Amino acid sequence: MIEFESVTKQYPDGTVAVDTLSLRIPSNEITVFVGPSGCGKTTSLRMINRTIERTSGRISIDGEDINAGDPVTLRRGIGYVIQHAGLFPHKTVVDNVATVPKLLGWDKRKTRATAMELLERVGLDPKLAERYPAQLSGGQQQRVGVARALAADPKIMLMDEPFSAVDPVVRHQLQEELLRLQRDIGKTIVFVTHDIDEAIKLGDNVAVLRVGGKLAQFAPPAELLAKPADEFVEGFIGQDRGYRALTFVTAENLPLGPVPADLAIGADGKPAGWRKDGDTLPVGAVFQRGDSLRAAMDSVLTSPIGQGVCVDEAGKPVGVIDYTGLTGVLRP
Amino acid sequence: MRWVDDNSLLIWEQLREHLYLALIPMVLGLLISVPLGYVATRYSWLANPLVALGGVLYSLPSIALFIVLPALIGTKVLSAANIIIALTIYAVSLLIRNVIDGLRSVPEEVLQAAVSVGYGTLRRVMTIDLPIAVPVIFAGLRVVTVANISMVSVGAIIGIGGLGELFTLGFQQDFLTPIVVGVVLSLALALLADVALVGLQRVLTPWARVNTPKEA
Ligand SMILES: Nc1ncnc2c1ncn2[C@@H]1O[C@H](COP(=O)(O)OP(=O)(O)OP(=O)(O)O)[C@@H](O)[C@H]1O
Ligand SMILES: [Mg+2]
């Protein structure tokens, strides 16, 4: 657990970036700091690895004050990923990943083996190992950044808007992969973003900060959407928080109807299209039982005939849902 | 050509002296300007005055410097130290700007990443900052080296000037061959030194020559 106790940061020019922040960041979960530009997210994050020193208050990791030891040693035990990856341009991909093990003096073979394994873990082709960062796309660079942060197997990983400089498609991929990776590695991740959607998608807990470095609310995403603490949080979450809250309701309880004969089934057993007046229309988005109500609703909305198709693990249709079925669940 | 054969030992000796007088200041200049440049990036108010001072020093005529130095620092008039010190001053005054620009060319996020993963300052400067600054520093180093090689000859006026002494010889004896040999050799030396520096830079910076970014 990382604990902030009345932490304040005042820069030499007088700016109070973080104001008496108290917060408990649970271990092995993703905690997201979110808030408008300049609200002190980066400052808060960087006080954890002491690349910014707090002015007053106390920050501790598992009960021990981070100021007790030497900052360089502290940093080697905390992974750090930043916006443009900040890769070392003069080192190859594998050497970038091996940075911290090298600083820690691991033997060469173990270092290299670890680095190569991590490249695969973050979804990179090992063939890229000998390239230089300038020879990678933005998304690939960001993956190398994550691999570098994980190389010495730190318990904590700090991520400062790591995905905000890549295009939306790649961002979505990287987010999914971070969640998948986190299921395996269970690190204590502190993630900074100004994008509330990203916060809600990734966070086990979300800390909403307001300008001046004040904590507005600290809660799991579902609670944040259901019970915003005040008008600022409500405004920040945005207009469609009701719709977004559906992300946290499962589609399990939907009353599915039988698969209609109009649904054409392909040779692979998956839905191939809706037959209508001699034409075959596209199926639209499909969803699974374990998905959210938001996914089910999206499926209905994208269906050409207002019928969302629910499929099993193998992609075979198991039932359909329409607007009436949905509203029954939305208004219990 | 007879003259060349008869004096090959002398020519060889002057060539070695020339190389030595030009390269020692280059190395010293580097050893002085790198730490100085680093300090100037840490305390950025120092940077402009330092670069300006470098500009002023560089504009001093070399001949004046060669003659004034012995009086100033108490060396013998005929000491090689005068040449070495003078050329080191030129080297530093030119290199300081390149070192500062080079260190500033290291992207902010790279510095931040280096500190955050746990580099200590000295290790970071040696293994991250300086290697990344190499292309910019080498641009200055090449200018310094070629300039030094030509300026060494001026030292002949005060008696120590490598190949420049061949010019003195030629003028004294009213004889063209030594002058031609001196000119040709110092040109060749400058060219070779430049080629060597370019080669060294290529070896040091394989990353600076990579082809265009690949798509995802
Ligand atoms: N080195 C500094 N000196 C003075 N003020 C600073 C410094 N760094 C940040 N600040 C100020 O502190 C406040 C918080 O900055 P911080 O970078 O933590 O915000 P942020 O939430 O990360 O913003 P963004 O979303 O734009 O990255 C801002 O008002 C900023 O201008
Ligand atoms: Mg920030």
Side-chain angles (χ1 to χ4, degrees):
Chain A
M1 186 179 70
I2 306 170
E3 185 166 14
F4 282 66
E5 291 164 85
S6 309
V7 174
T8 295
K9 172 66 192 183
Q10 182 168 26
Y11 283 105
D13 67 355
T15 313
V16 178
V18 177
D19 191 7
T20 52
L21 181 65
S22 293
L23 192 68
R24 286 182 178 186
I25 297 168
S27 297
N28 313 109
E29 290 185 359
I30 302 181
T31 297
V32 180
F33 289 174
V34 67
S37 185
C39 69
K41 305 180 293 289
T42 298
T43 305
S44 302
L45 189 76
R46 291 181 59 192
M47 282 192 289
I48 298 174
N49 69 2
R50 293 180 62 192
T51 47
I52 293 177
E53 295 280 5
R54 69 210 187 209
T55 314
S56 65
R58 184 175 188 269
I59 301 176
S60 58
I61 295 176
D62 296 330
E64 192 182 336
D65 193 320
I66 56 168
N67 280 26
D70 154 56
V72 170
T73 313
L74 175 79
R75 289 170 198 151
R76 290 179 187 171
I78 300 180
Y80 188 69
V81 187
I82 50 178
Q83 189 168 10
H84 294 282
L87 299 181
F88 304 129
H90 61 307
K91 292 177 184 257
T92 60
V93 164
V94 63
D95 284 341
N96 262 283
V97 176
T99 302
V100 183
K102 269 191 196 155
L103 288 172
L104 292 172
W106 289 14
D107 84 50
K108 281 220 172 84
R109 201 173 295 166
K110 182 178 165 202
T111 300
R112 198 182 156 85
T114 308
M116 293 305 291
E117 189 191 312
L118 269 166
L119 282 182
E120 268 184 86
R121 252 211 141 131
V122 299
L124 280 174
D125 189 334
K127 276 191 294 218
L128 301 179
E130 301 303 330
R131 285 207 192 163
Y132 288 100
Q135 295 167 295
L136 302 181
S137 70
Q140 290 169 331
Q141 290 185 21
Q142 215 42 265
R143 286 168 210 251
V144 178
V146 173
R148 180 176 66 185
L150 290 173
D153 200 22
K155 277 195 293 192
I156 298 173
M157 183 151 76
L158 309 178
M159 307 180 82
D160 193 351
E161 308 210 18
F163 307 148
S164 60
V166 294
D167 70 66
V169 176
V170 176
R171 186 181 319 144
H172 177 79
Q173 264 173 20
L174 291 172
Q175 289 168 344
E176 292 297 329
E177 280 175 36
L178 179 67
L179 288 173
R180 176 181 56 76
L181 195 65
Q182 172 68 351
R183 278 196 287 274
D184 294 347
I185 60 180
K187 301 285 180 197
T188 306
I189 297 179
V190 189
F191 190 107
V192 163
T193 177
H194 56 252
D195 174 2
I196 184 72
D197 283 316
E198 187 168 62
I200 285 168
K201 179 168 177 186
L202 298 179
D204 295 304
N205 289 291
V206 179
V208 185
L209 301 177
R210 68 174 96 233
V211 176
K214 283 245 174 233
L215 183 64
Q217 187 168 8
F218 185 75
E223 189 184 324
L224 200 69
L225 292 167
K227 284 183 273 174
D230 58 19
E231 278 177 18
F232 168 76
V233 178
E234 196 172 341
F236 190 72
I237 292 170
Q239 297 284 312
D240 48 354
R241 72 180 167 92
Y243 174 61
R244 274 208 293 259
L246 296 179
T247 309
F248 301 99
V249 185
T250 116
E252 262 162 14
N253 305 324
L254 280 178
L256 293 182
V259 179
D262 295 348
L263 186 66
I265 309 293
D268 55 1
K270 296 180 182 172
W274 290 101
R275 279 187 285 265
K276 196 177 177 214
D277 308 329
D279 266 346
T280 307
L281 303 171
V283 186
V286 298
F287 68 101
Q288 292 184 13
R289 275 287 185 185
D291 285 345
S292 68
L293 219 45
R294 186 172 167 172
M297 191 157 176
D298 191 54
S299 174
V300 176
L301 290 171
T302 56
S303 165
I305 59 163
Q307 300 264 5
V309 180
C310 180
V311 297
D312 62 13
E313 296 285 319
K316 299 200 171 82
V318 293
V320 296
I321 184 84
D322 60 10
Y323 288 105
T324 330
L326 265 180
T327 29
V329 184
L330 291 178
R331 239 185 289 156
Chain B
M1 280 301 113
R2 267 300 295 279
W3 184 86
V4 175
D5 285 341
D6 293 347
N7 294 278
S8 62
L9 208 65
L10 170 76
I11 296 171
W12 188 239
E13 194 53 43
Q14 298 302 354
L15 188 66
R16 267 186 41 200
E17 185 185 70
H18 201 106
L19 196 63
Y20 164 87
L21 288 176
L23 291 190
I24 298 285
M26 183 196 100
V27 172
L28 287 178
L30 206 54
L31 289 179
I32 294 169
S33 54
V34 164
L36 206 58
Y38 172 72
V39 171
T41 52
R42 272 303 283 269
Y43 306 96
S44 51
W45 53 269
L46 263 174
N48 286 335
L50 270 178
V51 170
L53 182 68
V56 171
L57 286 177
Y58 194 71
S59 70
L60 291 178
S62 52
I63 180 73
L65 206 54
F66 290 157
I67 292 169
V68 168
L69 264 179
L72 229 53
I73 55 177
T75 42
K76 293 213 180 67
V77 175
L78 272 182
S79 161
N82 297 326
I83 310 287
I84 290 179
I85 291 170
L87 293 186
T88 302
I89 291 175
Y90 285 128
V92 172
S93 58
L94 251 176
L95 278 176
I96 186 73
R97 158 172 252 140
N98 289 76
V99 171
I100 292 174
D101 288 350
L103 290 175
R104 282 184 178 159
S105 77
V106 182
E108 180 55 36
E109 66 261 20
V110 170
L111 287 179
Q112 210 190 94
V115 173
S116 303
V117 297
Y119 274 93
T121 305
L122 183 65
R123 190 158 178 176
R124 196 203 77 216
V125 173
M126 299 307 288
T127 62
I128 306 285
D129 303 22
L130 281 177
I132 295 175
V134 159
V136 182
I137 295 178
F138 262 61
L141 208 52
R142 287 174 61 187
V143 175
V144 165
T145 305
V146 171
N148 274 3
I149 287 175
S150 79
M151 267 194 288
V152 166
S153 298
V154 179
I157 296 185
I158 58 161
I160 306 142
L163 295 166
E165 289 172 39
L166 298 180
F167 303 167
T168 322
L169 196 75
F171 285 126
Q172 279 166 354
Q173 301 177 353
D174 203 9
F175 180 39
L176 198 61
T177 311
I179 299 179
V180 173
V181 170
V183 169
V184 169
L185 283 183
S186 59
L187 276 179
L189 204 57
L191 201 69
L192 270 177
D194 198 46
V195 168
L197 279 178
V198 171
L200 183 61
Q201 180 181 347
R202 285 178 71 93
V203 172
L204 288 177
T205 60
W207 53 274
R209 284 177 286 123
V210 296
N211 38 350
T212 47
K214 291 275 194 309
E215 283 314 301

